[in-house]
């Protein structure tokens, strides 16, 4: 572990030791020869996967693409064991990468950044950590993840609850024992849908409190065969090409067929095949699912029919299929026996849109019409996504401008990477970039490489600051909105893509939905054009 950083001056400080932090450290230190420090709030590396250890937690990207692609040797010397890796396997993978690249010595764990401010006088960022350490660095790069600031709803009475409660994104490192307990879970997003079947297996009684019914497609997880593992090793460059040229960074092509114009019988056959394959690939069955409501309805109806065929109690099936948004306009979950869980005798579903939660009592959860006695409450209630973790860093730019002030009406930046007034600050997978609409390691690698090239260019040309221009930022925000409005995604009213899950958060469509490949091409073009839209100052 690196030494205490008291008043240490660096070329770059990187916040977060997940996929971003590790690769950014490697690029800046080993490619450009910079003096770099990574600081990480957690007690280990892994980022999202250090914190998310809830029952059933799994990545929903397929393992052979949920990894770095910049080094063939890293890929061929590692084997994932299952189609979708779990947190422990991802942490092992990232530890393997950190070992191979000798990264640990420049990562300081258990170090939470509490503020960062830019000083015009010396063109340095001053970064303060909770333990009183101060770093100064020319470049500040955030790799804090898009989904890392837990949303614990302000339900009256939580403090009075006599049982245990947990948020899935801050899960204890020791297993939580549900055996025989009365467990309530709030939330049916990707996380809740993964957790519910596992909790239900041992809970005495399990009650799921659903605010918004959700689509889900079977993940069909399972061990990878030796043949598949060999295929990955022998086809590294094809897989890398595929993920880097696909709109969402996944290792498959999106069909060119349109659902709206496919014969209904053939369409159903294709959906059936896709259902058997499972996973996020289901979304790629037709190319118009996110553009045309008529097309989308065919997928939505197919999934609702599946739910009705799985769930035996018609009233429960009705609650689960009363879905208020088009398919995949919220992040589409994938599951392992989620809907089957509702056929268990020990499981109930409460529709809290019809019957809202009023308070948490010492004994459990009280809705408008009854009290549910509970021993454990699980909050699978998601995150203050994309902006929450950045704002918690208390970043202040030129003239004392706080990021929270700059973003008081919602996040505004250029390419998701830079904000006017915050020179030499880069936000990896920030709002306004494809990030969560892409397989994350692919989005992260593109950002890290672009930032590295930008810093290399600055050093070669004796440039001291890079800063997004205000007009470029305004133009980019418009491009993000235009791209969002070309899809059905803004139609999901309760989506965290819009910040709608956090009371009072400005409603702005945050990720860039124009596709990863298009976005990467725009970024490359801007760089080749002398970093168009940025002010470069020597
Ligand atoms: O969070 P969510 P998540 N009262 O915001 C409900 C990623 N992820 O943790 O829809 C009652 O999607 C909320 O209801 P509503 C993935 O990108 C990745 O599940 O707002 N209910 C919803 O049902 C995913 O999209 C993997 O009406 C409340 C749920 O809680 C993202 O994380 C695995 C409430 C929150 O769903 C977030 O998923 C798992 C309240 N006050 C997750 N507040 C990978 O594999 C919220 N809810 C990479």
């Amino acid at each position: 572990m690196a030494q205490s950083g008291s008043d240490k001056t660096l070329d770059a400080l990187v916040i977060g030791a997940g996929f971003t932090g590790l690769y950014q450290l490697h690029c800046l230190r080993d490619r450009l020869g910079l003096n770099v420090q990574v600081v990480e709030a957690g007690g280990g590396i892994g980022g999202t996967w250090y914190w998310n250890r809830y029952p059933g937690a799994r990545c929903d990207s397929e393992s052979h693409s949920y990894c770095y692609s910049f080094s063939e040797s890293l890929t061929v010397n590692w084997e994932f064991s299952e189609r979708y890796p779990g947190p422990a396997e991802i942490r092992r993978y990232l530890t393997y990468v950190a070992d191979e690249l000798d990264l640990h010595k420049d990562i300081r764990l258990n170090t939470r950044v509490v503020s960062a401010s830019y000083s015009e006088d010396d063109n340095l960022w001053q970064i303060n950590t909770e333990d009183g350490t101060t770093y100064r660095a020319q470049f500040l790069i955030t790799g804090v993840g898009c989904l890392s600031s837990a949303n614990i709803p302000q339900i009256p009475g939580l403090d009075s609850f006599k049982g245990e409660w947990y948020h899935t994104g801050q899960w204890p490192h020791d297993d939580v024992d549900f055996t025989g307990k009365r467990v309530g879970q709030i939330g049916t997003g990707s996380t809740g849908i993964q957790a519910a079947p596992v909790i239900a297996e041992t809970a005495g009684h399990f009650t799921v409190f659903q605010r918004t019914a959700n689509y889900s497609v079977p993940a069909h997880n399972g061990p990878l065969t030796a043949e598949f593992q060999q295929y990955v090793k022998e086809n590294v460059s094809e897989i890398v090409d595929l993920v880097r040229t696909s709109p969402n960074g996944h290792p498959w092509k999106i069909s060119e067929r349109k659902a709206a114009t496919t014969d209904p019988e053939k369409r159903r056959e294709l959906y059936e095949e896709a259902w058997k394959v499972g996973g996020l690939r289901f979304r790629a069955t037709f190319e118009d699912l996110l553009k045309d409501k008529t097309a989308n309805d065919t997928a939505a109806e197919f999934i609702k029919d599946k739910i009705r065929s799985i769930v035996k109690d018609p009233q429960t099936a009705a609650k689960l299929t009363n879905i208020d948004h088009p398919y995949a306009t919220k992040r589409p979950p994938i599951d392992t026996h989620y809907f089957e869980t509702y056929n268990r005798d020990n499981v109930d579903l409460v529709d809290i849109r019809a019957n809202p939660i009023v308070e948490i009592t010492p004994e459990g959860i009280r809705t408008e019409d009854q009290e549910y006695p509970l021993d454990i409450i699980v909050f699978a209630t998601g995150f203050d996504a994309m902006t929450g973790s950045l704002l918690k860093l208390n970043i202040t730019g030129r003239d004392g401008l706080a990021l929270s002030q700059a973003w008081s009406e919602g996040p505004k930046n250029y390419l998701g990477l830079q904000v006017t007034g915050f020179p030499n600050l880069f936000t990896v997978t920030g709002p306004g970039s494809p990030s969560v609409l892409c397989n994350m390691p692919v989005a992260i690698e593109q950002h890290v490489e672009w930032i590295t090239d930008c810093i290399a260019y600055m050093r070669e040309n004796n440039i001291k600051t890079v800063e997004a221009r205000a007009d470029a930022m305004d133009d980019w925000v418009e491009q993000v909105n235009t791209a969002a409005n070309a899809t059905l995604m803004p139609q999901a009213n309760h989506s965290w893509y819009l910040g709608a899950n956090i009371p009072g958060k400005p409603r702005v469509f945050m990720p860039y939905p124009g596709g990863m490949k298009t976005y990467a091409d725009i970024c490359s073009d801007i760089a080749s054009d002398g970093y168009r839209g940025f002010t470069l100052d020597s």
Side-chain angles (χ1 to χ4, degrees), residues 15 113-120 122-128 134-138 140 393-403 421-423 425:
I15 309 175
V113 170
V114 290
S115 65
S117 53
Y118 175 71
S119 154
E120 198 120 16
D122 50 10
N123 185 33
L124 289 176
W125 282 92
Q126 176 172 314
I127 301 106
N128 301 312
T134 298
Y135 294 94
R136 288 187 172 75
Q138 183 185 2
L140 175 60
L393 297 173
N394 294 312
I395 298 176
T396 312
R398 277 189 206 283
D399 305 321
L401 176 68
L403 188 61
F422 298 80
L425 166 70

XYZ file of all heavy atoms in Angstrom, residues 15 113-120 122-128 134-138 140 393-403 421-423 425:
290
model
N -9.808 8.928 -8.317
C -10.666 8.507 -7.199
C -11.414 7.238 -7.604
O -12.170 7.245 -8.587
C -11.676 9.608 -6.810
C -10.956 10.937 -6.592
C -12.458 9.204 -5.568
C -11.899 12.118 -6.331
N -12.491 10.522 -0.198
C -12.317 11.937 -0.541
C -13.509 12.719 -0.001
O -14.665 12.330 -0.225
C -12.203 12.118 -2.073
C -12.266 13.591 -2.468
C -10.904 11.486 -2.587
N -13.227 13.798 0.730
C -14.331 14.603 1.270
C -14.492 15.932 0.541
O -15.567 16.530 0.573
C -14.196 14.841 2.798
C -14.428 13.557 3.564
C -12.841 15.449 3.155
N -13.424 16.402 -0.120
C -13.572 17.620 -0.919
C -12.408 17.730 -1.895
O -11.343 17.128 -1.694
C -13.624 18.858 -0.016
O -12.400 19.015 0.653
N -12.648 18.512 -2.940
C -11.588 18.763 -3.922
C -11.823 20.155 -4.475
O -12.944 20.493 -4.851
C -11.648 17.740 -5.043
N -10.769 20.975 -4.488
C -10.964 22.320 -5.018
C -9.791 22.695 -5.919
O -8.650 22.276 -5.697
C -11.135 23.332 -3.885
O -10.064 23.212 -2.994
N -10.123 23.488 -6.918
C -9.126 23.894 -7.912
C -8.514 25.234 -7.499
O -9.235 26.173 -7.147
C -9.794 24.031 -9.281
C -8.874 24.572 -10.348
C -7.828 23.798 -10.848
C -9.040 25.871 -10.841
C -6.969 24.291 -11.812
C -8.177 26.377 -11.818
C -7.149 25.581 -12.287
O -6.296 26.077 -13.245
N -7.194 25.291 -7.544
C -6.526 26.557 -7.224
C -5.924 27.131 -8.499
O -5.051 26.520 -9.127
C -5.440 26.299 -6.160
O -4.445 27.273 -6.272
N -6.422 28.305 -8.853
C -5.989 28.981 -10.081
C -4.509 29.359 -9.991
O -3.785 29.315 -10.978
C -6.834 30.244 -10.245
C -6.823 30.799 -11.636
C -8.233 30.822 -12.222
O -9.222 30.695 -11.484
O -8.316 30.964 -13.422
N -1.788 28.005 -8.683
C -0.759 27.043 -9.078
C -1.295 25.980 -10.038
O -0.603 25.002 -10.334
C -0.127 26.391 -7.832
C -1.187 25.870 -6.869
O -2.386 25.848 -7.253
O -0.832 25.485 -5.745
N -2.537 26.165 -10.508
C -3.151 25.201 -11.426
C -3.101 23.783 -10.845
O -2.740 22.828 -11.521
C -2.460 25.254 -12.804
C -3.154 24.359 -13.815
O -4.374 24.182 -13.776
N -2.371 23.757 -14.712
N -3.455 23.678 -9.583
C -3.472 22.346 -8.964
C -4.820 22.114 -8.299
O -5.450 23.047 -7.787
C -2.379 22.232 -7.898
C -0.927 22.170 -8.384
C 0.023 22.160 -7.192
C -0.672 20.948 -9.268
N -5.234 20.879 -8.312
C -6.387 20.471 -7.512
C -5.894 20.106 -6.125
O -4.876 19.429 -5.987
C -7.071 19.249 -8.156
C -7.922 19.638 -9.326
C -7.558 19.692 -10.636
C -9.290 20.068 -9.260
N -8.604 20.129 -11.409
C -9.683 20.371 -10.587
C -10.215 20.240 -8.231
C -10.962 20.818 -10.892
C -11.478 20.686 -8.539
C -11.852 20.983 -9.860
N -6.614 20.563 -5.123
C -6.299 20.129 -3.756
C -7.391 19.164 -3.325
O -8.582 19.508 -3.340
C -6.242 21.318 -2.812
C -6.001 20.852 -1.387
C -5.740 22.001 -0.444
O -4.980 22.902 -0.735
N -6.380 21.950 0.716
N -6.975 17.970 -2.981
C -7.955 16.920 -2.671
C -7.779 16.531 -1.210
O -6.679 16.168 -0.776
C -7.737 15.693 -3.585
C -7.866 16.112 -5.066
C -8.732 14.587 -3.275
C -6.585 16.190 -5.802
N -8.867 16.629 -0.445
C -8.791 16.326 0.991
C -9.527 15.018 1.270
O -10.616 14.792 0.741
C -9.440 17.446 1.801
C -8.746 18.773 1.543
O -7.524 18.854 1.583
N -9.517 19.792 1.231
N -3.959 15.476 2.534
C -4.179 16.416 1.439
C -3.277 16.025 0.271
O -2.087 15.807 0.454
C -3.812 17.846 1.877
O -4.677 18.196 2.958
C -3.995 18.843 0.750
N -3.887 15.920 -0.882
C -3.103 15.686 -2.106
C -3.231 16.922 -2.980
O -4.278 17.580 -2.995
C -3.656 14.497 -2.899
C -3.527 13.172 -2.204
C -4.582 12.663 -1.438
C -2.375 12.400 -2.335
C -4.476 11.438 -0.809
C -2.263 11.164 -1.707
C -3.310 10.696 -0.946
O -3.207 9.484 -0.335
N -2.186 17.197 -3.756
C -2.284 18.221 -4.797
C -1.937 17.543 -6.107
O -0.979 16.769 -6.179
C -1.320 19.369 -4.513
C -1.777 20.209 -3.350
C -0.943 21.466 -3.123
N -1.596 22.276 -2.094
C -1.579 21.991 -0.793
N -0.941 20.918 -0.353
N -2.213 22.757 0.070
N -2.718 17.853 -7.117
C -2.491 17.168 -8.394
C -2.938 18.062 -9.535
O -3.930 18.777 -9.417
C -3.270 15.863 -8.423
N -2.197 17.981 -10.654
C -2.603 18.776 -11.822
C -3.917 18.243 -12.394
O -4.783 19.010 -12.785
C -1.504 18.724 -12.897
C -1.843 19.597 -14.099
C -0.806 19.463 -15.224
O 0.144 18.690 -15.135
N -1.021 20.214 -16.300
N -7.329 15.739 -11.954
C -8.195 14.988 -11.034
C -9.150 14.173 -11.893
O -9.850 14.723 -12.750
C -8.967 15.967 -10.137
C -10.009 15.336 -9.207
C -9.366 14.327 -8.254
C -10.737 16.425 -8.398
N -18.457 14.334 -3.621
C -17.030 14.651 -3.511
C -16.807 16.124 -3.166
O -15.667 16.525 -2.903
C -16.312 14.322 -4.835
C -16.320 12.850 -5.270
C -15.728 12.714 -6.674
C -15.527 11.982 -4.285
N -17.880 16.912 -3.177
C -17.755 18.349 -2.863
C -16.658 19.011 -3.690
O -15.671 19.538 -3.153
C -17.473 18.560 -1.368
C -18.655 18.134 -0.545
O -19.788 18.509 -0.844
N -18.415 17.300 0.446
N -16.849 18.984 -4.985
C -15.847 19.533 -5.905
C -16.142 21.016 -6.147
O -17.281 21.399 -6.404
C -15.869 18.755 -7.237
C -15.506 17.280 -6.985
C -14.929 19.385 -8.252
C -15.596 16.400 -8.208
N -15.087 21.833 -6.065
C -15.209 23.271 -6.325
C -14.201 23.652 -7.405
O -13.017 23.309 -7.301
C -14.873 24.073 -5.045
O -15.594 23.490 -3.965
C -15.286 25.516 -5.178
N -14.685 24.334 -8.424
C -13.810 24.704 -9.545
C -13.336 26.144 -9.464
O -13.137 26.683 -8.373
N -13.181 26.754 -10.630
C -12.736 28.164 -10.698
C -13.676 29.071 -9.915
O -14.895 28.834 -9.897
C -12.819 28.651 -12.147
C -11.656 28.309 -12.994
C -11.798 29.062 -14.316
N -11.107 28.382 -15.399
C -9.789 28.402 -15.573
N -9.005 29.041 -14.722
N -9.248 27.754 -16.596
N -13.137 30.100 -9.322
C -13.907 31.141 -8.616
C -14.858 30.556 -7.576
O -15.955 31.072 -7.345
C -14.726 31.988 -9.615
C -13.840 32.576 -10.702
O -12.707 32.981 -10.358
O -14.275 32.600 -11.875
N -14.458 29.456 -6.988
C -15.264 28.853 -5.916
C -16.575 28.235 -6.387
O -17.465 27.959 -5.577
N -16.702 27.998 -7.691
C -17.951 27.412 -8.204
C -18.054 25.940 -7.795
O -17.185 25.126 -8.128
C -17.983 27.528 -9.740
C -19.186 26.877 -10.426
C -20.475 27.626 -10.101
C -18.977 26.808 -11.947
N -19.119 25.630 -7.052
C -19.310 24.231 -6.625
C -19.971 23.448 -7.754
O -20.836 23.975 -8.464
C -20.189 24.187 -5.377
N -19.583 22.193 -7.891
C -20.209 21.354 -8.928
C -21.716 21.272 -8.688
O -22.512 21.283 -9.624
C -19.571 19.953 -8.924
C -19.983 19.042 -10.076
C -19.599 19.621 -11.442
C -19.368 17.648 -9.922
N -15.454 25.456 -16.132
C -15.162 25.991 -14.797
C -14.388 24.998 -13.937
O -14.016 25.319 -12.812
N -14.154 23.800 -14.491
C -13.454 22.761 -13.714
C -12.291 22.216 -14.552
O -12.325 21.089 -15.037
C -14.434 21.647 -13.316
C -15.545 22.141 -12.439
C -16.647 22.800 -12.983
C -15.481 21.996 -11.058
C -17.675 23.283 -12.179
C -16.494 22.482 -10.245
C -17.594 23.121 -10.806
N -11.245 23.035 -14.741
C -10.163 22.613 -15.634
C -9.447 21.374 -15.121
O -9.308 21.186 -13.903
C -9.212 23.816 -15.637
C -9.646 24.703 -14.541
C -11.016 24.327 -14.108
N -10.288 18.496 -14.744
C -11.098 17.483 -14.036
C -11.783 16.633 -15.097
O -12.447 17.171 -15.992
C -12.161 18.158 -13.168
C -13.278 17.240 -12.645
C -12.742 16.268 -11.587
C -14.434 18.052 -12.044
